[in-house]
Amino acid sequence: MKLVTYRAGVEGAARLGVIADDLVVDVAALGESFGEEFPATMLDLIDAGRPGLDALSTALGECDGDFPVGVATALANVALLAPIPRPRKNIFGIGLNYLDHVTESSKALDTAPDLPREPVVFSKPPTTVIGPDQPIRHDGDMTQQLDWEVELAVIIGTRATGVSRADALAHVFGYSVMIDVSARDNRRAGQWIFSKGMDSYAPFGPCIVTADEIPDPQVLDLWLSVNGVEKQRSNTSKMLFKVDELIADLSHGITLEPGDIIASGTPEGVGAGRDPQEWMWPGDVVLAGVQGIGTLRHPVIDARRGHGQGVIA
Ligand code: MG
């Protein structure tokens, strides 16, 4: 299933939806039509576990594309939000997880040229998250080196403590796309949370594809363009630490909980690694996608004008 969080009107509340062709099916309304109470938010659905997904899947199957009045809306008529608009915890970020990105980073930034022997972990606060089409804030008082990083995002479904690599993928709820926006000139003594943790630095979506539809997360193309010019193109097969290794590694020290998000690292082609270096500026438009999931589109705005509240420079 492709799951979304959306708003049907400008003033409407955020709703949980599932994509059916060119429609968005309102999960709560679908449940009501069956006399059942279905989860109202993505986190509620994740918390409901396998029974929650099975009940939703069964209801969709019974409709067979013919939905009761008021249950489905044209996808073109809704505004998509981040699939989890407000994560409960910081997003786990993985640094230096693609070979050629390790190389370009060591030339341009202060990272080592040697391959990491264990995953490099940082985090991004929940306030970094923005949904599809929402603006990435460029604050010229804070940065002159705003960079892009397309990544496969992994959403945890069930609590994982000390899990083995073999058991790790069973804890995944689904997958999505995230841009790990990074202000390269705000790296402080090797600590990345400020440079990667500012408001709007985690574009996320457009949907979560449930794990049953992506049995192998290591075969997916991913790409990113700025103003229509492709900057990154690679495949998740090139990750140094695969998704199952990341989950196993993290879970041995930090219990992973339902709704936790792991941004699994970016391939080569970031702005810092280019010659000459390139950065994002107000007026730019960034597209980023992962095969089988979807594409994010984000304008970059001048955060000093209108405080970034939907004002596009
Ligand atoms: Mg990254």
Side-chain angles (χ1 to χ4, degrees):
M1 280 182 279
K2 280 188 167 166
L3 299 161
V4 295
T5 298
Y6 72 100
R7 229 188 274 286
V10 179
E11 313 231 316
R15 320 237 0 137
L16 173 64
V18 55
I19 304 292
D21 296 317
D22 55 354
L23 299 174
V24 180
V25 177
D26 182 329
V27 170
L30 178 67
E32 280 169 30
S33 74
F34 281 87
E36 294 181 44
E37 190 174 337
F38 278 8
T41 70
M42 191 73 73
L43 286 171
D44 287 346
L45 179 63
I46 295 171
D47 289 343
R50 172 51 54 191
L53 279 177
D54 286 347
L56 175 55
S57 180
T58 299
L60 287 168
E62 289 187 20
C63 289
D64 194 23
D66 187 13
F67 300 104
V69 174
V71 168
T73 310
L75 180 57
N77 291 343
V78 307
L80 296 181
L81 308 179
I84 302 172
R86 173 76 191 196
R88 293 179 178 131
K89 291 157 50 176
N90 283 21
I91 297 155
F92 294 98
I94 307 299
L96 307 171
N97 201 27
Y98 285 77
L99 174 62
D100 290 339
H101 178 58
V102 173
T103 305
E104 71 176 358
S105 181
S106 70
K107 289 178 182 166
L109 303 168
D110 57 358
T111 57
D114 314 315
L115 295 185
R117 286 179 296 178
E118 50 199 359
V120 176
V121 186
F122 60 92
S123 84
K124 296 166 78 81
T127 38
T128 52
V129 168
I130 57 173
D133 296 306
Q134 291 189 305
I136 297 168
R137 292 164 49 89
H138 182 285
D139 185 338
D141 292 333
M142 297 297 298
T143 181
Q144 299 293 308
Q145 297 187 352
L146 193 64
D147 208 346
W148 54 80
E149 298 188 353
V150 61
E151 312 204 356
L152 173 71
V154 182
I155 292 83
I156 297 296
T158 53
R159 190 176 172 88
T161 306
V163 299
S164 68
R165 195 175 168 186
D167 293 337
L169 292 187
H171 292 272
V172 175
F173 176 79
Y175 299 93
S176 189
V177 185
M178 186 168 281
I179 306 175
D180 176 19
V181 177
S182 306
R184 303 294 186 197
D185 45 1
N186 280 269
R187 303 148 60 82
R188 297 185 177 179
Q191 302 296 313
W192 298 349
I193 188 166
F194 197 59
S195 67
K196 291 172 173 284
M198 292 191 217
D199 295 355
S200 82
Y201 280 16
F204 175 31
C207 63
I208 293 175
V209 177
T210 50
D212 58 302
E213 296 190 6
I214 301 182
D216 184 355
Q218 308 302 156
V219 295
L220 308 174
D221 290 333
L222 69 173
W223 63 88
L224 179 144
S225 71
V226 181
N227 301 331
V229 179
E230 189 171 282
K231 302 296 184 185
Q232 294 185 283
R233 177 168 291 275
S234 188
N235 188 281
T236 56
S237 62
K238 297 183 180 174
M239 279 185 200
L240 296 173
F241 298 100
K242 311 301 189 199
V243 172
D244 55 0
E245 290 177 280
L246 296 175
I247 291 169
D249 179 70
L250 283 168
S251 77
H252 275 82
I254 303 173
T255 291
L256 297 175
E257 299 179 298
D260 282 354
I261 302 163
I262 303 169
S264 57
T266 201
E268 69 279 12
V270 302
R274 309 182 81 84
D275 185 15
Q277 292 184 325
E278 299 173 21
W279 313 110
M280 295 189 288
W281 301 103
D284 287 348
V285 175
V286 183
L287 270 66
V290 177
Q291 182 183 4
I293 299 173
T295 303
L296 289 168
R297 177 195 174 280
H298 295 272
V300 180
I301 63 146
D302 186 342
R304 293 177 298 187
R305 285 190 223 166
H307 305 288
Q309 296 301 310
V311 179
I312 297 176

